[in-house]
């Protein structure tokens, strides 16, 4: 069909530019709507930076408590994306009968960030995690010293 031929043409262009490593899903989005693709990439940008600021993240929840329902939904829907975007990072999920829903992030700077997400919805948990990532990315990172740099006088 014409649409298939158009997609093949775009794949050929991407292959020439070395961009064919993208999944077919992303290539299809580029064909359908480039602006939508841009919005998806922006939405995923902060999620992919989690592993740059944290070494480990733990989610504590109850399997039956209504207060943990939002965290359970969040993990069911977002865990595969978070793990795919941060493959080397440990995401721990701990459950207990009377556990309060919470997120604990262990930063690369040695700090521990603990947030209670009891009775939060999935969207509120997503916003809380994004605020955490944004707030820690604004912290000054230690400056690298280039040992081969010459002193400028």
């Amino acid at each position: 069909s014409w649409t298939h031929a158009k997609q093949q043409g775009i794949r050929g262009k991407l292959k020439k530019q070395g961009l064919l490593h993208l999944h077919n899903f992303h290539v299809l989005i580029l064909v359908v709507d480039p602006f939508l693709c841009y919005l998806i990439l922006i939405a995923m940008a902060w999620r992919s930076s989690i592993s740059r600021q944290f070494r480990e993240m733990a989610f504590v929840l109850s399997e039956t408590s209504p207060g943990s329902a939002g965290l359970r939904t969040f993990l069911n829907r977002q865990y595969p994306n978070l793990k795919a975007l941060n493959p080397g990072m440990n995401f721990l999920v701990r459950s207990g009968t009377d556990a309060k829903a919470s997120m604990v992030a262990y930063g690369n700077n040695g700090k521990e960030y603990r947030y209670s997400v009891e009775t939060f919805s999935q969207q509120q948990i997503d916003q809380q995690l994004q605020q955490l990532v944004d707030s820690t990315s604004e912290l000054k990172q230690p400056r690298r010293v280039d040992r081969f740099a010459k002193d400028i006088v």
Side-chain angles (χ1 to χ4, degrees), residues 7 9 15 17 20-21 24 26 29 45-46 61 69 84 90 95 119 146 149-150 152:
Q7 288 176 1
K15 192 173 189 177
Q17 296 173 3
L20 195 59
H21 66 277
N24 289 339
H26 296 316
I29 289 176
W46 68 267
L61 65 140
N90 293 330
S95 64
T119 70
D146 187 2
K150 295 181 180 178
I152 300 174

Side-chain angles (χ1 to χ4, degrees), residues 4 12 27 30 39-40 65 72 80 89 126 129 139-140 144:
H4 182 66
V27 173
L30 286 171
L39 291 177
I40 289 172
S65 168
R72 284 193 301 269
M89 186 173 163
D126 202 38
L129 184 57
L139 296 175
K140 285 203 169 217
R144 290 186 188 172

Side-chain angles (χ1 to χ4, degrees), residues 105-120:
Y106 302 97
N108 290 332
N109 58 3
K111 288 189 177 181
E112 180 180 304
Y113 303 90
R114 187 176 295 269
Y115 295 96
S116 174
V117 291
E118 186 77 13
T119 70
F120 278 28

